[in-house]
Amino acid sequence: MATAVGYTLPVFAAAAAVAALRCLTEGTCPSAVTLALLNPNRCETFTIAQGACLDPQQALAITYSEPSDPLDITRQTPVWAWVTWADATTQPRIHLEGGVGIGRHQATGEAAIYRYAKLLLTTNLEFYCPSDRAIRVRIILPEGAQLAQRTSNAAFGIVEGLSLLGTGAIAQPLTAPEQLEQYLAELATKAAQSSTLVFCIGENGLQVAQTLHIPRQLCVKTANWLGPMLVAAAEHNIQQLLLLGYHGKLIKLAAGIFHTHHHLADARQEVFTAFCALAGITDSLLQQIWRSPTIEAACQLLAAKAPDQLAPILSQIANRIEERTLAYLRTHCSTSVARSLQVGAVLFRRDRQIVATSQTAQTLLASLRQVK
Protein backbone atom coordinates (compact mmCIF):
# COMPACT_ATOMS: atom_id res chain seq x y z
CA MET A 1 0.00 0.00 0.00
CA ALA A 2 1.36 3.38 -0.96
CA THR A 3 2.10 5.44 2.12
CA ALA A 4 1.46 8.76 0.30
CA VAL A 5 -2.28 8.02 0.32
CA GLY A 6 -4.15 7.75 3.59
CA TYR A 7 -7.36 5.87 4.23
CA THR A 8 -10.30 6.28 6.56
CA LEU A 9 -10.82 4.14 9.64
CA PRO A 10 -13.60 2.01 8.05
CA VAL A 11 -11.08 0.75 5.45
CA PHE A 12 -8.81 -0.73 8.10
CA ALA A 13 -11.78 -2.20 9.95
CA ALA A 14 -12.84 -3.91 6.72
CA ALA A 15 -9.30 -5.17 6.05
CA ALA A 16 -9.06 -6.72 9.51
CA ALA A 17 -12.53 -8.27 9.20
CA VAL A 18 -11.77 -9.84 5.82
CA ALA A 19 -8.50 -11.22 7.18
CA ALA A 20 -10.28 -12.74 10.20
CA LEU A 21 -12.93 -14.33 7.98
CA ARG A 22 -10.25 -15.78 5.74
CA CYS A 23 -8.64 -17.25 8.85
CA LEU A 24 -11.84 -19.20 9.39
CA THR A 25 -12.28 -20.29 5.79
CA GLU A 26 -8.62 -20.93 4.91
CA GLY A 27 -7.08 -21.94 8.24
CA THR A 28 -4.33 -19.30 8.26
CA CYS A 29 -4.30 -15.52 8.34
CA PRO A 30 -3.23 -13.74 5.13
CA SER A 31 -0.41 -11.21 5.35
CA ALA A 32 -2.41 -8.82 3.17
CA VAL A 33 -5.95 -8.48 1.84
CA THR A 34 -7.38 -6.71 -1.19
CA LEU A 35 -10.51 -4.61 -0.74
CA ALA A 36 -13.01 -3.09 -3.14
CA LEU A 37 -13.05 0.48 -1.82
CA LEU A 38 -16.39 1.42 -3.47
CA ASN A 39 -15.62 5.11 -3.22
CA PRO A 40 -13.40 5.51 -5.17
CA ASN A 41 -14.31 2.61 -7.44
CA ARG A 42 -11.04 0.68 -7.26
CA CYS A 43 -9.26 -2.05 -5.33
CA GLU A 44 -6.30 -1.64 -2.97
CA THR A 45 -4.22 -4.07 -0.91
CA PHE A 46 -3.68 -3.62 2.82
CA THR A 47 -1.16 -5.21 5.17
CA ILE A 48 -2.41 -7.36 8.04
CA ALA A 49 -0.24 -7.15 11.15
CA GLN A 50 -1.45 -10.30 12.92
CA GLY A 51 -4.25 -12.82 12.88
CA ALA A 52 -5.17 -16.30 14.05
CA CYS A 53 -8.02 -18.75 14.50
CA LEU A 54 -8.91 -18.79 18.19
CA ASP A 55 -10.75 -22.06 17.63
CA PRO A 56 -12.71 -23.56 14.71
CA GLN A 57 -15.56 -21.12 15.36
CA GLN A 58 -13.81 -17.77 15.73
CA ALA A 59 -10.81 -15.76 14.52
CA LEU A 60 -9.16 -12.42 15.23
CA ALA A 61 -7.10 -10.19 12.91
CA ILE A 62 -5.30 -6.90 13.48
CA THR A 63 -4.19 -4.06 11.23
CA TYR A 64 -3.02 -0.49 11.87
CA SER A 65 -4.64 2.73 10.74
CA GLU A 66 -2.70 4.82 8.22
CA PRO A 67 -4.45 8.15 7.55
CA SER A 68 -2.72 10.71 5.38
CA ASP A 69 -2.68 13.49 7.98
CA PRO A 70 0.36 13.21 10.28
CA LEU A 71 -1.66 14.94 13.01
CA ASP A 72 -4.56 12.49 12.78
CA ILE A 73 -5.02 10.94 16.24
CA THR A 74 -5.83 7.52 14.72
CA ARG A 75 -2.46 7.24 13.02
CA GLN A 76 -0.99 3.79 13.76
CA THR A 77 -3.80 2.89 16.13
CA PRO A 78 -4.55 -0.87 16.12
CA VAL A 79 -7.81 -2.01 14.55
CA TRP A 80 -9.05 -5.47 15.56
CA ALA A 81 -11.78 -7.55 13.97
CA TRP A 82 -13.29 -10.60 15.67
CA VAL A 83 -15.32 -12.90 13.42
CA THR A 84 -17.31 -15.93 14.46
CA TRP A 85 -19.70 -18.28 12.69
CA ALA A 86 -23.36 -17.60 13.41
CA ASP A 87 -26.69 -19.32 12.86
CA ALA A 88 -27.09 -19.51 9.08
CA THR A 89 -30.84 -18.88 9.37
CA THR A 90 -30.36 -15.45 10.97
CA GLN A 91 -30.74 -12.16 9.14
CA PRO A 92 -28.71 -10.27 8.18
CA ARG A 93 -26.24 -12.94 7.11
CA ILE A 94 -23.39 -10.61 8.10
CA HIS A 95 -24.09 -9.08 11.50
CA LEU A 96 -21.89 -6.09 12.43
CA GLU A 97 -21.15 -5.05 16.02
CA GLY A 98 -19.20 -2.27 17.69
CA GLY A 99 -16.86 -3.62 20.33
CA VAL A 100 -14.58 -1.94 22.83
CA GLY A 101 -13.39 1.46 21.61
CA ILE A 102 -16.15 1.93 19.05
CA GLY A 103 -18.29 4.87 20.09
CA ARG A 104 -22.00 4.58 20.67
CA HIS A 105 -24.83 7.06 20.34
CA GLN A 106 -25.61 8.26 23.84
CA ALA A 107 -29.32 8.60 23.08
CA THR A 108 -29.86 5.16 21.52
CA GLY A 109 -26.89 3.02 22.55
CA GLU A 110 -26.28 2.08 18.90
CA ALA A 111 -22.71 1.64 17.69
CA ALA A 112 -21.33 4.62 15.75
CA ILE A 113 -20.80 2.64 12.55
CA TYR A 114 -22.08 4.69 9.66
CA ARG A 115 -23.41 3.94 6.18
CA TYR A 116 -20.16 3.79 4.19
CA ALA A 117 -18.47 1.64 6.83
CA LYS A 118 -21.38 -0.82 6.86
CA LEU A 119 -21.47 -1.01 3.07
CA LEU A 120 -17.70 -1.44 2.80
CA LEU A 121 -17.64 -4.21 5.41
CA THR A 122 -20.59 -6.19 4.11
CA THR A 123 -19.60 -5.91 0.43
CA ASN A 124 -16.09 -7.22 1.02
CA LEU A 125 -17.09 -9.86 3.57
CA GLU A 126 -19.79 -11.29 1.31
CA PHE A 127 -17.12 -12.18 -1.26
CA TYR A 128 -15.44 -14.54 1.21
CA CYS A 129 -18.41 -15.72 3.28
CA PRO A 130 -19.72 -19.12 2.13
CA SER A 131 -23.25 -18.83 0.77
CA ASP A 132 -24.58 -21.30 3.34
CA ARG A 133 -22.96 -19.62 6.37
CA ALA A 134 -23.55 -16.50 8.49
CA ILE A 135 -21.06 -14.53 10.57
CA ARG A 136 -20.88 -12.06 13.42
CA VAL A 137 -18.26 -9.35 13.03
CA ARG A 138 -17.14 -7.21 15.96
CA ILE A 139 -14.83 -4.26 15.31
CA ILE A 140 -12.60 -3.35 18.26
CA LEU A 141 -10.42 -0.29 18.77
CA PRO A 142 -8.31 -0.99 21.89
CA GLU A 143 -7.21 2.66 22.06
CA GLY A 144 -10.55 4.08 20.94
CA ALA A 145 -11.92 5.23 24.29
CA GLN A 146 -8.66 6.95 25.17
CA LEU A 147 -8.36 8.63 21.76
CA ALA A 148 -11.98 9.77 21.88
CA GLN A 149 -11.13 11.99 24.85
CA ARG A 150 -9.06 14.10 22.44
CA THR A 151 -12.00 14.67 20.09
CA SER A 152 -15.31 16.52 20.28
CA ASN A 153 -17.28 13.27 19.82
CA ALA A 154 -18.92 13.55 23.23
CA ALA A 155 -20.13 17.03 22.36
CA PHE A 156 -22.18 15.48 19.56
CA GLY A 157 -23.51 12.58 21.58
CA ILE A 158 -20.94 9.90 20.69
CA VAL A 159 -19.45 8.37 23.84
CA GLU A 160 -16.97 5.66 24.88
CA GLY A 161 -15.00 5.59 21.64
CA LEU A 162 -14.43 6.61 18.03
CA SER A 163 -16.82 6.47 15.10
CA LEU A 164 -16.41 4.48 11.92
CA LEU A 165 -17.21 7.59 9.96
CA GLY A 166 -16.69 8.83 6.42
CA THR A 167 -18.28 8.73 3.00
CA GLY A 168 -15.30 7.25 1.20
CA ALA A 169 -12.03 5.39 1.51
CA ILE A 170 -9.57 8.22 1.03
CA ALA A 171 -8.78 10.17 4.19
CA GLN A 172 -8.94 13.90 3.58
CA PRO A 173 -6.02 15.59 5.36
CA LEU A 174 -7.83 18.48 7.00
CA THR A 175 -4.52 20.05 8.06
CA ALA A 176 -2.73 19.58 4.74
CA PRO A 177 -2.21 22.35 2.16
CA GLU A 178 -3.97 20.26 -0.50
CA GLN A 179 -7.18 20.36 1.53
CA LEU A 180 -6.93 24.12 1.91
CA GLU A 181 -6.59 24.43 -1.87
CA GLN A 182 -9.88 22.54 -2.31
CA TYR A 183 -11.67 24.84 0.10
CA LEU A 184 -10.22 27.93 -1.56
CA ALA A 185 -11.33 26.68 -4.97
CA GLU A 186 -14.89 26.19 -3.71
CA LEU A 187 -14.79 29.64 -2.15
CA ALA A 188 -13.68 31.23 -5.43
CA THR A 189 -16.44 29.49 -7.38
CA LYS A 190 -19.18 30.56 -5.00
CA ALA A 191 -17.80 34.07 -4.53
CA ALA A 192 -18.15 34.59 -8.29
CA GLN A 193 -21.89 34.02 -7.89
CA SER A 194 -22.65 35.89 -4.67
CA SER A 195 -21.21 38.60 -2.45
CA THR A 196 -22.73 36.89 0.60
CA LEU A 197 -21.39 33.57 1.88
CA VAL A 198 -21.70 31.33 4.94
CA PHE A 199 -18.64 29.55 6.35
CA CYS A 200 -19.94 26.27 7.75
CA ILE A 201 -17.48 24.81 10.24
CA GLY A 202 -17.54 21.10 9.42
CA GLU A 203 -20.43 18.81 8.50
CA ASN A 204 -22.41 19.95 11.53
CA GLY A 205 -22.25 23.52 10.28
CA LEU A 206 -23.66 22.44 6.91
CA GLN A 207 -26.49 20.59 8.62
CA VAL A 208 -27.38 23.58 10.77
CA ALA A 209 -27.36 25.78 7.66
CA GLN A 210 -29.97 23.48 6.15
CA THR A 211 -32.22 23.74 9.20
CA LEU A 212 -31.91 27.54 8.98
CA HIS A 213 -32.99 27.36 5.31
CA ILE A 214 -29.78 28.95 4.10
CA PRO A 215 -29.33 28.18 0.37
CA ARG A 216 -26.69 25.52 -0.25
CA GLN A 217 -25.06 27.59 -2.99
CA LEU A 218 -24.06 30.17 -0.37
CA CYS A 219 -22.46 27.66 2.01
CA VAL A 220 -18.72 26.99 2.01
CA LYS A 221 -17.48 24.17 4.22
CA THR A 222 -14.30 24.94 6.14
CA ALA A 223 -12.12 22.89 8.41
CA ASN A 224 -9.46 24.49 10.59
CA TRP A 225 -8.11 26.97 8.02
CA LEU A 226 -10.30 29.90 9.03
CA GLY A 227 -7.56 32.51 8.79
CA PRO A 228 -6.60 31.91 5.14
CA MET A 229 -10.26 31.39 4.22
CA LEU A 230 -11.26 34.73 5.74
CA VAL A 231 -8.53 36.55 3.84
CA ALA A 232 -9.53 34.82 0.61
CA ALA A 233 -13.16 35.84 1.15
CA ALA A 234 -12.10 39.47 1.51
CA GLU A 235 -9.91 39.26 -1.60
CA HIS A 236 -12.88 37.92 -3.57
CA ASN A 237 -14.85 41.01 -2.51
CA ILE A 238 -17.31 39.18 -0.29
CA GLN A 239 -19.43 41.82 1.42
CA GLN A 240 -21.30 39.72 3.99
CA LEU A 241 -19.89 36.65 5.69
CA LEU A 242 -21.58 34.49 8.30
CA LEU A 243 -19.55 32.13 10.49
CA LEU A 244 -21.66 29.15 11.52
CA GLY A 245 -20.09 26.66 13.91
CA TYR A 246 -20.10 24.63 17.10
CA HIS A 247 -19.42 26.87 20.08
CA GLY A 248 -16.56 24.62 21.23
CA LYS A 249 -14.76 25.34 17.96
CA LEU A 250 -15.61 28.96 17.15
CA ILE A 251 -14.83 30.14 20.68
CA LYS A 252 -11.14 29.97 19.74
CA LEU A 253 -11.66 32.94 17.42
CA ALA A 254 -12.62 35.04 20.44
CA ALA A 255 -9.01 34.56 21.58
CA GLY A 256 -7.59 35.49 18.16
CA ILE A 257 -6.84 31.87 17.20
CA PHE A 258 -7.58 31.51 13.48
CA HIS A 259 -6.13 28.08 12.85
CA THR A 260 -8.36 25.99 15.05
CA HIS A 261 -6.77 22.52 14.94
CA HIS A 262 -6.39 21.39 18.54
CA HIS A 263 -2.81 20.25 17.94
CA LEU A 264 -1.77 23.84 17.17
CA ALA A 265 -3.77 25.90 19.63
CA ASP A 266 -6.48 25.28 22.18
CA ALA A 267 -7.66 27.89 24.66
CA ARG A 268 -11.34 27.01 24.84
CA GLN A 269 -11.62 26.59 28.59
CA GLU A 270 -9.47 29.64 29.25
CA VAL A 271 -11.60 31.82 26.98
CA PHE A 272 -14.91 30.63 28.41
CA THR A 273 -13.67 31.01 31.98
CA ALA A 274 -12.46 34.55 31.22
CA PHE A 275 -15.87 35.58 29.88
CA CYS A 276 -17.53 34.06 32.93
CA ALA A 277 -15.21 36.01 35.20
CA LEU A 278 -15.98 39.25 33.34
CA ALA A 279 -19.68 38.51 33.85
CA GLY A 280 -19.14 38.32 37.62
CA ILE A 281 -19.38 34.57 38.14
CA THR A 282 -18.23 33.66 41.65
CA ASP A 283 -14.82 32.11 42.32
CA SER A 284 -16.14 28.70 43.39
CA LEU A 285 -18.20 28.30 40.20
CA LEU A 286 -15.33 29.64 38.10
CA GLN A 287 -13.12 26.87 39.42
CA GLN A 288 -15.67 24.27 38.39
CA ILE A 289 -16.05 25.83 34.94
CA TRP A 290 -12.26 25.87 34.55
CA ARG A 291 -12.09 22.15 35.28
CA SER A 292 -14.95 21.20 32.92
CA PRO A 293 -13.70 18.75 30.24
CA THR A 294 -15.54 20.47 27.36
CA ILE A 295 -17.30 23.73 26.55
CA GLU A 296 -20.53 21.76 26.37
CA ALA A 297 -20.01 20.55 29.94
CA ALA A 298 -19.08 24.06 31.10
CA CYS A 299 -22.26 25.48 29.56
CA GLN A 300 -24.39 22.80 31.22
CA LEU A 301 -22.76 23.58 34.56
CA LEU A 302 -23.37 27.29 34.15
CA ALA A 303 -26.97 26.66 33.10
CA ALA A 304 -27.52 24.65 36.27
CA LYS A 305 -25.77 27.01 38.69
CA ALA A 306 -26.42 30.44 37.12
CA PRO A 307 -29.11 29.97 34.45
CA ASP A 308 -29.62 33.69 33.82
CA GLN A 309 -25.95 34.16 32.94
CA LEU A 310 -25.43 31.57 30.19
CA ALA A 311 -27.19 33.32 27.29
CA PRO A 312 -25.59 36.75 27.89
CA ILE A 313 -22.11 35.20 28.19
CA LEU A 314 -22.50 33.25 24.95
CA SER A 315 -23.78 36.39 23.23
CA GLN A 316 -20.71 38.28 24.43
CA ILE A 317 -18.52 35.51 23.02
CA ALA A 318 -20.31 35.67 19.65
CA ASN A 319 -19.85 39.45 19.50
CA ARG A 320 -16.19 39.08 20.47
CA ILE A 321 -15.69 36.57 17.66
CA GLU A 322 -17.12 39.15 15.29
CA GLU A 323 -14.75 41.83 16.64
CA ARG A 324 -11.63 39.64 16.52
CA THR A 325 -12.45 38.47 13.00
CA LEU A 326 -12.73 42.03 11.74
CA ALA A 327 -9.46 42.89 13.48
CA TYR A 328 -7.80 39.88 11.82
CA LEU A 329 -9.01 41.05 8.41
CA ARG A 330 -7.75 44.59 9.01
CA THR A 331 -4.34 43.15 9.82
CA HIS A 332 -4.10 40.81 6.83
CA CYS A 333 -6.03 42.63 4.10
CA SER A 334 -6.04 46.08 2.54
CA THR A 335 -7.84 48.72 4.58
CA SER A 336 -10.64 49.25 2.04
CA VAL A 337 -11.43 45.53 1.77
CA ALA A 338 -11.47 44.96 5.52
CA ARG A 339 -13.63 48.02 6.11
CA SER A 340 -16.36 46.95 3.70
CA LEU A 341 -16.79 43.34 4.83
CA GLN A 342 -19.52 42.54 7.36
CA VAL A 343 -18.94 39.48 9.54
CA GLY A 344 -21.38 37.74 11.86
CA ALA A 345 -21.08 34.68 14.10
CA VAL A 346 -23.69 32.05 14.98
CA LEU A 347 -22.89 29.45 17.64
CA PHE A 348 -24.70 26.15 18.15
CA ARG A 349 -24.41 23.40 20.77
CA ARG A 350 -24.04 19.63 20.32
CA ASP A 351 -27.72 19.08 19.49
CA ARG A 352 -27.31 21.71 16.74
CA GLN A 353 -29.53 24.23 18.51
CA ILE A 354 -28.48 27.87 18.15
CA VAL A 355 -27.23 29.31 21.44
CA ALA A 356 -25.81 32.68 20.41
CA THR A 357 -26.00 35.09 17.48
CA SER A 358 -23.81 38.16 17.19
CA GLN A 359 -25.37 41.53 16.37
CA THR A 360 -24.36 41.50 12.70
CA ALA A 361 -25.34 37.84 12.34
CA GLN A 362 -28.94 38.66 13.25
CA THR A 363 -29.19 40.95 10.25
CA LEU A 364 -27.35 38.56 7.96
CA LEU A 365 -29.56 35.61 8.90
CA ALA A 366 -32.69 37.55 8.08
CA SER A 367 -31.39 38.42 4.60
CA LEU A 368 -30.03 34.93 3.93
CA ARG A 369 -33.41 33.31 4.54
CA GLN A 370 -34.89 35.49 1.79
CA VAL A 371 -32.42 34.25 -0.85
CA LYS A 372 -33.93 31.72 -3.26
Side-chain angles (χ1 to χ4, degrees):
M1 180 178 60
T3 56
V5 177
Y7 296 90
T8 56
L9 207 53
V11 172
F12 298 99
V18 167
L21 176 56
R22 288 179 60 184
C23 275
L24 286 179
T25 58
E26 301 170 12
T28 59
C29 183
S31 60
V33 298
T34 298
L35 299 179
L37 300 180
L38 307 182
N39 181 22
N41 185 21
R42 68 170 192 251
C43 295
E44 293 289 350
T45 301
F46 298 87
T47 301
I48 302 302
Q50 293 177 307
C53 288
L54 305 180
D55 60 40
Q57 295 299 312
Q58 56 184 335
L60 180 72
I62 302 170
T63 188
Y64 288 87
S65 171
E66 292 186 36
S68 54
D69 190 342
L71 295 180
D72 193 308
I73 63 170
T74 67
R75 190 174 185 83
Q76 287 300 301
T77 194
V79 182
W80 297 9
W82 171 80
V83 177
T84 184
W85 297 120
D87 183 349
T89 63
T90 61
Q91 292 294 330
R93 195 164 65 96
I94 297 173
H95 178 74
L96 302 178
E97 301 176 356
V100 172
I102 295 292
R104 61 178 179 84
H105 293 272
Q106 194 169 29
T108 65
E110 293 182 0
I113 303 177
Y114 293 91
R115 182 178 180 276
Y116 172 71
K118 291 178 180 178
L119 183 62
L120 183 70
L121 280 155
T122 54
T123 299
N124 284 278
L125 287 165
E126 282 175 351
F127 184 78
Y128 292 98
C129 187
S131 59
D132 60 342
R133 304 297 300 264
I135 56 174
R136 287 175 59 203
V137 180
R138 182 177 300 161
I139 305 301
I140 300 166
L141 299 177
E143 300 173 355
Q146 180 182 358
L147 292 175
Q149 296 176 11
R150 297 163 57 189
T151 75
S152 58
N153 281 10
F156 294 100
I158 305 299
V159 296
E160 297 181 6
L162 299 175
S163 304
L164 292 187
L165 184 64
T167 58
I170 307 301
Q172 299 294 335
L174 297 182
T175 59
E178 295 83 1
Q179 187 66 28
L180 174 59
E181 290 174 7
Q182 293 180 27
Y183 289 133
L184 291 174
E186 181 186 8
L187 170 60
T189 299
K190 294 189 173 182
Q193 306 298 320
S194 174
S195 62
T196 300
L197 291 179
V198 179
F199 278 4
C200 300
I201 317 304
E203 287 293 332
N204 286 290
L206 285 174
Q207 293 176 15
V208 172
Q210 286 184 328
T211 64
L212 294 173
H213 304 292
I214 296 173
R216 185 65 180 85
Q217 69 268 20
L218 302 182
C219 297
V220 178
K221 181 182 174 182
T222 72
N224 293 301
W225 302 91
L226 284 171
M229 293 289 286
L230 286 167
V231 172
E235 291 175 345
H236 284 292
N237 296 314
I238 295 300
Q239 297 299 300
Q240 295 90 30
L241 182 63
L242 187 69
L243 306 177
L244 181 58
Y246 176 57
H247 56 21
K249 175 71 75 170
L250 276 185
I251 194 172
K252 296 181 183 182
L253 274 62
I257 298 169
F258 286 88
H259 191 306
T260 57
H261 197 291
H262 66 276
H263 281 281
L264 301 180
D266 191 352
R268 290 172 292 182
Q269 298 305 105
E270 291 84 350
V271 175
F272 192 73
T273 303
F275 274 91
C276 289
L278 290 170
I281 299 300
T282 61
D283 288 346
S284 59
L285 182 53
L286 276 180
Q287 290 293 327
Q288 296 177 63
I289 291 170
W290 174 268
R291 292 192 296 268
S292 297
T294 64
I295 294 300
E296 190 77 28
C299 287
Q300 291 174 353
L301 177 63
L302 188 59
K305 301 286 188 177
D308 294 338
Q309 295 279 29
L310 179 59
I313 288 172
L314 289 173
S315 294
Q316 287 295 321
I317 291 171
N319 287 323
R320 184 59 172 170
I321 290 169
E322 184 178 308
E323 294 169 5
R324 294 302 295 262
T325 301
L326 290 172
Y328 182 91
L329 289 168
R330 286 193 295 269
T331 300
H332 294 86
C333 304
S334 67
T335 304
S336 59
V337 169
R339 186 182 297 121
S340 64
L341 177 57
Q342 291 181 291
V343 177
V346 177
L347 312 182
F348 57 83
R349 64 191 185 203
R350 76 177 186 188
D351 60 1
R352 301 187 180 94
Q353 295 299 307
I354 303 299
V355 294
T357 305
S358 70
Q359 292 181 350
T360 302
Q362 294 174 24
T363 303
L364 293 179
L365 273 176
S367 61
L368 283 165
R369 288 167 173 163
Q370 298 174 5
V371 177
K372 301 299 183 182

